[in-house]
């Protein structure tokens, strides 16, 4: 009994010590300096931020986007004046999207790499004016196709796979020749990274432009305001047109199902194998688990996350309604991306963040 009592006493002491150690966690973050040390891996700097810009054909336009408050469709004559104060405030990188009218759209998205394309002109203008600004170009066909889909759609409602991937590669090459630093294919066509890399190599540009792949792009309801901004939603038939019931009205056949971790990681693995220089998860907040999975699997690759338009609007309107504090909510969301492993954060809040980071 004496031995048993001694054993029980020893165990109680051990358990008591463990509890005491856990109870004193507060010692490690009880003041601001200590808290900064605890969050070192989640620090946010301007170099982490990339700002999406919409460039429209109307050269003098500065059109407010109602569904995306504080953001605009900009014409080329407005672009420099809009970007200049942001660069002065620390803006490091931008992501360009083209916006065109219905008269520019056809089945193959021909205007995407046309000599008159405003994205190509915008790249040249930005690089001439701000040579140190990192300019990325979204590479997709949805803005430029009459179907509103991201590849070349066949009459049976499926893509011509190789033709679609090659079109994406041709557009990427046009942006590369214009002088961009990064091409960012968002189309989700099978094999497009391979086609882009091969096309760049054949043109002698394989070492002059990086490829940031939208690798894990999920089929999400949070893209709504963007599709309004870019006029890129899948198209309904026009009056007088014969509807092809086989053409899908959504992008479920090629964007990843929201619940599929396996498909997402296979898509990322494919893009890495084909030569992607950077990978991306999109959207952001609902897919933080995928951000961490990608970081764990590919720790040495730059990892981007896109805080998409619906996420932006949700926080913005929540703050407008008084449900959350805007600054605190934005910083918490951006910190979550950094904590999950993202090194590049594409956000419509970038202008505000650049100012807030200096406060």
């Amino acid at each position: 009994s004496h031995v048993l009592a001694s054993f029980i006493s020893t165990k109680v002491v051990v358990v008591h010590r463990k509890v005491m150690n856990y109870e004193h966690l507060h010692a490690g973050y009880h003041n601001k300096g200590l808290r900064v040390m605890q969050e070192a891996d989640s620090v946010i700097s301007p170099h982490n931020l990339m700002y999406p810009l919409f460039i429209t054909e109307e050269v003098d336009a500065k059109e407010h986007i109602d569904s995306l408050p504080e953001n605009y469709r900009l014409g080329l004559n407005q672009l420099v004046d809009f970007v200049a104060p942001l660069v002065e405030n620390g803006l490091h990188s931008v992501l360009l999207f083209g916006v065109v009218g219905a008269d520019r759209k056809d089945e193959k998205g021909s205007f995407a790499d046309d000599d008159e394309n405003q994205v190509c002109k915008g790249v040249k203008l930005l690089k001439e004016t701000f040579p140190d600004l990192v300019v990325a170009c979204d590479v997709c066909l949805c803005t430029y196709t009459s179907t509103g889909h991201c590849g070349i759609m066949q009459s049976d409602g499926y893509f011509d796979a190789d033709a679609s991937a090659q079109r994406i590669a041709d557009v990427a090459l046009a942006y590369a020749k214009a002088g961009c630093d990064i091409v960012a294919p968002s189309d989700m066509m099978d094999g497009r990274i391979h086609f882009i890399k091969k096309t760049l190599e054949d043109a002698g540009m394989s070492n002059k432009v990086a490829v940031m792949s939208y690798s894990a792009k999920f089929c999400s309801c949070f893209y709504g305001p963007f599709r309004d901004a870019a006029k890129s939603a899948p198209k309904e038939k026009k009056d007088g047109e014969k509807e092809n019931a086989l053409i899908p009205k959504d992008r479920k056949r090629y964007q990843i199902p929201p619940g599929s971790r396996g498909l997402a990681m296979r898509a990322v693995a494919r893009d890495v194998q084909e030569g992607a220089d950077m990978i991306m998860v999109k959207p952001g907040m609902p897919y933080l688990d995928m951000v961490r999975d990608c970081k764990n699997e590919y720790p040495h690759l730059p990892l981007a996350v896109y805080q998409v338009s619906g996420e932006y609007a949700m926080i913005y309107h929540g703050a407008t309604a008084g449900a959350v504090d805007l600054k605190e909510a934005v910083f918490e969301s951006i910190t979550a991306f950094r904590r999950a492993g993202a090194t590049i954060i594409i956000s419509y809040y970038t202008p505000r963040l650049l100012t807030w980071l200096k406060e």
Side-chain angles (χ1 to χ4, degrees):
S1 60
H2 176 73
V3 173
L4 179 61
S6 176
F7 172 76
I8 293 173
S9 175
T10 301
K11 294 298 288 183
V12 168
V13 170
V14 171
V15 170
H16 175 68
R17 285 176 179 169
K18 285 185 177 180
V19 171
M20 289 299 293
N21 283 342
Y22 282 113
E23 285 179 347
H24 282 80
L25 279 177
H26 293 173
Y29 59 100
H30 68 88
N31 64 42
K32 183 176 180 179
L34 291 173
R35 288 191 289 275
V36 170
M37 294 173 72
Q38 295 286 0
E39 295 182 300
D41 292 338
S42 303
V43 170
I44 304 163
S45 82
H47 290 83
N48 297 124
L49 303 173
M50 180 176 282
Y51 185 39
L53 291 172
F54 299 95
I55 305 180
T56 186
E57 288 184 279
E58 300 175 26
V59 293
D60 294 318
K62 186 179 181 182
E63 303 169 357
H64 184 262
I65 303 166
D66 292 340
S67 58
L68 204 56
E70 300 183 12
N71 288 271
Y72 302 87
R73 300 182 194 94
L74 299 168
L76 290 173
N77 291 346
Q78 296 283 341
L79 189 58
V80 169
D81 287 345
F82 184 84
V83 172
L86 299 177
V87 171
E88 183 68 22
N89 207 24
L91 180 65
H92 176 71
S93 62
V94 293
L95 177 60
L96 306 185
F97 297 89
V99 184
V100 299
D103 59 322
R104 292 289 197 183
K105 301 173 188 270
D106 61 27
E107 291 183 356
K108 294 185 177 181
S110 302
F111 192 66
D113 55 348
D114 189 277
D115 290 341
E116 293 300 310
N117 181 279
Q118 71 270 26
V119 174
C120 294
K121 292 180 177 180
V123 170
K124 294 175 183 177
L125 185 59
L126 289 174
K127 293 304 290 185
E128 288 171 1
T129 312
F130 312 107
D132 294 328
L133 181 68
V134 176
V135 177
C137 292
D138 179 86
V139 182
C140 197
L141 299 181
C142 59
T143 297
Y144 303 100
T145 56
S146 51
T147 63
H149 282 289
C150 303
I152 298 175
M153 188 71 67
Q154 301 175 131
S155 60
D156 63 358
Y158 288 86
F159 290 113
D160 184 330
D162 286 353
S164 296
Q166 187 58 60
R167 273 298 293 137
I168 292 296
D170 292 341
V171 176
L173 179 60
Y175 296 158
K177 287 181 176 178
C180 75
D181 302 288
I182 300 170
V183 291
S186 61
D187 55 289
M188 293 300 286
M189 298 296 108
D190 284 331
R192 86 265 204 217
I193 304 303
H194 166 77
F195 277 81
I196 290 171
K197 282 289 190 175
K198 180 66 166 58
T199 299
L200 292 173
E201 183 179 358
D202 290 346
M205 302 196 70
S206 59
N207 62 341
K208 296 179 181 178
V209 62
V211 178
M212 178 171 69
S213 177
Y214 288 66
S215 301
K217 181 178 180 180
F218 290 85
C219 191
S220 172
C221 70
F222 288 103
Y223 301 149
F226 171 90
R227 291 176 181 172
D228 172 42
K231 302 178 181 179
S232 63
K235 301 298 185 294
E236 300 289 344
K237 72 179 182 66
K238 298 178 183 178
D239 291 340
E241 287 183 336
K242 183 179 179 181
E243 181 173 21
N244 183 347
L246 297 177
I247 301 297
K249 300 299 187 294
D250 56 44
R251 295 174 178 149
K252 293 180 179 179
R253 288 184 179 175
Y254 50 104
Q255 294 178 355
I256 297 170
S260 182
R261 171 183 268 114
L263 269 176
M265 292 309 295
R266 287 171 61 195
V268 174
R270 174 199 62 194
D271 289 356
V272 172
Q273 184 177 18
E274 291 180 7
D277 301 290
M278 309 170 186
I279 55 177
M280 187 195 302
V281 175
K282 177 185 178 184
M285 287 296 289
Y287 299 94
L288 286 177
D289 59 323
M290 298 308 310
V291 178
R292 174 44 61 182
D293 281 353
C294 289
K295 191 63 175 180
N296 288 343
E297 190 71 20
Y298 304 103
H300 305 303
L301 277 180
L303 173 59
V305 63
Y306 200 143
Q307 185 182 49
V308 299
S309 58
E311 296 175 75
Y312 172 91
M314 184 168 57
I315 295 172
Y316 185 95
H317 292 300
T320 300
V324 296
D325 178 85
L326 180 64
K327 182 178 178 180
E328 289 187 9
V330 172
F331 266 111
E332 185 172 339
S333 65
I334 301 299
T335 299
F337 296 142
R338 291 286 289 125
R339 186 189 67 238
T343 49
I344 303 164
I345 300 165
I346 305 164
S347 175
Y348 301 97
Y349 283 114
T350 294
R352 283 183 175 267
L353 282 161
L354 293 173
T355 298
W356 287 336
L357 286 170
K358 292 184 175 182
E359 293 177 354

